[in-house]
Amino acid sequence: MISVFDLFSIGIGPSSSHTVGPMKAALAFVDQLRQQQQLGAVTRVKADLYGSLALTGQGHGTVSATLLGLEGKHPRTIEPALVGPRALAIQQENAMMLAGTHPIPFDFTKDLLLHKHEFLPKHANGMRFSAFDSQGKPLLLQTWYSIGGGFVVQEEEFGTDQPTVTVPFPFSNADELLAHCRKQGKSIASLVWENERARASREELRARGLEIAQVMHECVAAGCRHEGILPGGLNVRRRAPSLYKKLSAQHAAGQHNAMLWPMLYAMAVNEENAAGGRVVTAPTNGAAGIVPAVLEYYRNYIPGANDDRIIEFLLTAGAIGLLYKMNASISGAEVGCQGEVGVACSMAAGALAAVMGGTLAQVENAAEIAMEHHLGMTCDPVGGLVQIPCIERNGIAAEQAIKIAQLALLEDGDHKVSLDTVIQTMYETGKDMQQRYKETSQGGLAVNVIEC
């Protein structure tokens, strides 16, 4: 089992599967060259992007991320403001610093190709990297897939069991997770905490959780502060700063509408993401605003919020997200936006219900309701940009998550549809969905909105 904290990776926008994933894969490729002591012999590298990565590659930052990954950069540590300028310099100079140390020529028109009408067999987000010596002999060839949430896997390992940490309470679905909780008399968060202790100390886990929460909080604040036009050519204006000022003025005048604040928080995060800023994948970048927004709402509006409760929130949300990743998908290119915004809403609703004192049944009910009403949501970004309709979708889903958690807490937890059932339904729905509605910009709003 992977760590729940792996669903909350700190990186850059605008897309976990199209930006973070390709950068990680490209970095892993050059790291392999270094480990094989072949880096110094490389005179040319070539990157081929396929399917969804090619179709929305420019708008989702895939091209820039791939170039920077080949130069040895990691999405967690790279300065977001440097990505665009450095990628442009590589294209203009026809040269790059492979792995950050080895200069080679790079012909952008020949060495980075977008195969928009070709999909590799394992996943819609496929990419191939090749390295050659001075005689044109291949030194290393690798095929990678970006499978959602910033996770990447090589073709040879796709669908195979990977080495995992042995945990005291392994689970593969919600029924098993909840059965462990009932038997041990533990909450989801406390049981998952015991599993995480197989990987790290209490101090390390606590620090990691609070760091994730802090980056989420800082992203909300940055989004409420930064003004201007989002990049990409759609001329979408950042709305969060003006909304923040208006809501603050209303609050000062005694007009209190708590539900508008989480909508604002989520939009602020996703505007930061659309601008390529520092965000936390939760569980993807396209849906990165929902969990932070609901967590911010909890911090500001629910009595008793503290660091322990914040970690409980993240552990619960992460466990729910892990169920979707194990049994369905969190990739918009594979199952549509139900796998991104829908999953994030499910994570946030269940987590809020938990920290507000919900029973196991109420938490499951909240998570299930949230996905039930996102089934069939398409991924149709206009212009291949994570802006329209993505930003508003996050705001609306954040508000929904809060209301769903409150609804679940008003009831006794009895529900007809299990979380496992709705997860399986989501996956089947995504498989049945036409490919043009799954992060290709070839269907839905993407073809019915004039780009200007």
Side-chain angles (χ1 to χ4, degrees):
M1 294 184 64
I2 64 170
S3 168
V4 295
F5 287 124
D6 289 336
L7 291 173
F8 299 117
S9 59
I10 299 171
I12 59 171
S15 172
S16 50
S17 59
H18 287 58
T19 315
V20 174
M23 186 179 289
K24 286 183 176 179
L27 174 60
F29 175 73
V30 296
D31 280 346
Q32 185 66 27
L33 283 169
R34 182 187 290 109
Q35 292 170 15
Q36 295 179 356
Q37 298 183 343
Q38 294 180 312
L39 188 63
V42 176
T43 60
R44 182 192 178 200
V45 293
K46 185 170 178 281
D48 294 89
L49 306 177
Y50 295 86
S52 182
L53 292 182
L55 288 162
T56 61
Q58 291 290 354
H60 280 52
T62 310
V63 171
S64 297
T66 301
L67 295 176
L68 272 292
L70 291 173
E71 286 207 321
K73 303 300 183 183
H74 192 284
R76 180 183 177 89
T77 55
I78 191 172
E79 175 56 47
L82 298 180
V83 175
R86 180 55 196 157
L88 181 60
I90 292 171
Q91 297 177 43
Q92 292 176 339
E93 297 169 6
N94 291 316
M96 72 162 48
M97 191 68 69
L98 191 64
T101 59
H102 180 57
I104 61 169
F106 189 85
D107 186 338
F108 182 74
T109 61
K110 297 179 181 179
D111 294 336
L112 197 150
L113 302 180
L114 305 179
H115 304 273
K116 295 184 178 182
H117 303 292
E118 183 178 353
F119 286 75
L120 296 183
K122 303 290 187 180
H123 195 280
N125 294 331
M127 65 201 104
R128 284 179 173 149
F129 300 108
S130 311
F132 306 90
D133 64 14
S134 59
Q135 305 300 315
K137 176 185 175 182
L139 296 172
L140 183 63
L141 306 175
Q142 288 184 344
T143 298
W144 287 82
Y145 293 97
S146 181
I147 58 176
F151 292 91
V152 293
V153 61
Q154 278 191 259
E155 185 170 50
E156 296 80 2
E157 299 172 346
F158 194 98
T160 62
D161 292 333
Q162 299 301 307
T164 58
V165 174
T166 300
V167 297
F169 305 110
F171 58 89
S172 60
N173 54 46
D175 280 350
E176 292 178 4
L177 170 62
L178 295 173
H180 279 310
C181 291
R182 294 187 183 102
K183 183 177 181 180
Q184 301 297 323
K186 295 179 179 291
S187 67
I188 291 174
S190 59
L191 186 129
V192 170
W193 176 267
E194 293 302 318
N195 283 349
E196 294 297 325
R197 284 283 290 111
R199 297 180 174 86
S201 68
R202 291 179 175 85
E203 293 75 19
E204 290 170 327
L205 293 173
R206 183 177 176 83
R208 188 174 181 186
L210 293 179
E211 179 191 22
I212 290 167
Q214 182 61 26
V215 175
M216 287 181 172
H217 173 72
E218 291 172 356
C219 189
V220 170
C224 289
R225 184 175 66 249
H226 293 156
E227 299 180 341
I229 303 297
L230 294 173
L234 291 182
N235 295 315
V236 173
R237 177 177 56 84
R238 285 180 180 252
R239 296 150 66 189
S242 63
L243 291 172
Y244 176 78
K245 293 174 184 176
K246 291 175 182 178
L247 287 178
S248 297
Q250 290 178 5
H251 183 80
Q255 302 175 36
H256 305 296
N257 189 331
M259 284 299 98
L260 290 177
W261 284 99
M263 292 184 67
L264 165 65
Y265 299 149
M267 292 176 64
V269 170
N270 278 83
E271 286 178 355
E272 280 296 292
N273 177 65
R278 179 77 62 211
V279 297
V280 178
T281 299
T284 69
N285 282 29
I290 299 163
V291 171
V294 176
L295 179 57
E296 195 77 10
Y297 168 86
Y298 172 66
R299 281 170 153 168
N300 295 338
Y301 288 94
I302 306 299
N306 55 39
D307 286 350
D308 289 339
R309 289 293 194 178
I310 288 171
I311 292 174
E312 179 184 357
F313 182 100
L314 292 175
L315 288 170
T316 307
I320 294 168
L322 191 57
L323 294 172
Y324 284 96
K325 177 165 176 54
M326 290 191 295
N327 296 291
S329 175
I330 56 173
S331 169
E334 189 173 18
V335 294
C337 198
Q338 59 175 358
E340 299 199 35
V341 165
V343 172
C345 186
S346 182
M347 293 166 62
L352 183 61
V355 295
M356 291 178 66
T359 65
L360 290 173
Q362 288 170 325
V363 172
E364 181 192 15
N365 193 22
E368 177 274 320
I369 292 172
M371 174 51 72
E372 190 173 319
H373 299 287
H374 282 92
L375 291 174
M377 178 176 279
T378 59
C379 186
D380 49 354
V382 176
L385 300 165
V386 191
Q387 298 177 19
I388 302 172
C390 317
I391 294 170
E392 287 180 352
R393 278 185 181 171
N394 275 256
I396 293 169
E399 179 193 12
Q400 287 179 323
I402 294 168
K403 290 182 175 178
I404 287 167
Q406 293 170 339
L407 172 63
L409 293 173
L410 287 172
E411 300 186 299
D412 62 7
D414 182 51
H415 50 284
K416 302 295 184 183
V417 181
S418 71
L419 181 54
D420 282 332
T421 297
V422 83
I423 290 173
Q424 180 62 28
T425 303
M426 184 272 277
Y427 190 53
E428 292 172 354
T429 302
K431 290 299 186 182
D432 290 340
M433 194 181 295
Q434 292 184 26
Q435 187 62 45
R436 64 195 182 105
Y437 292 112
K438 295 188 284 188
E439 207 164 8
T440 63
S441 287
Q442 293 181 320
L445 286 174
V447 297
N448 289 313
V449 175
I450 299 175
E451 299 177 28
C452 58

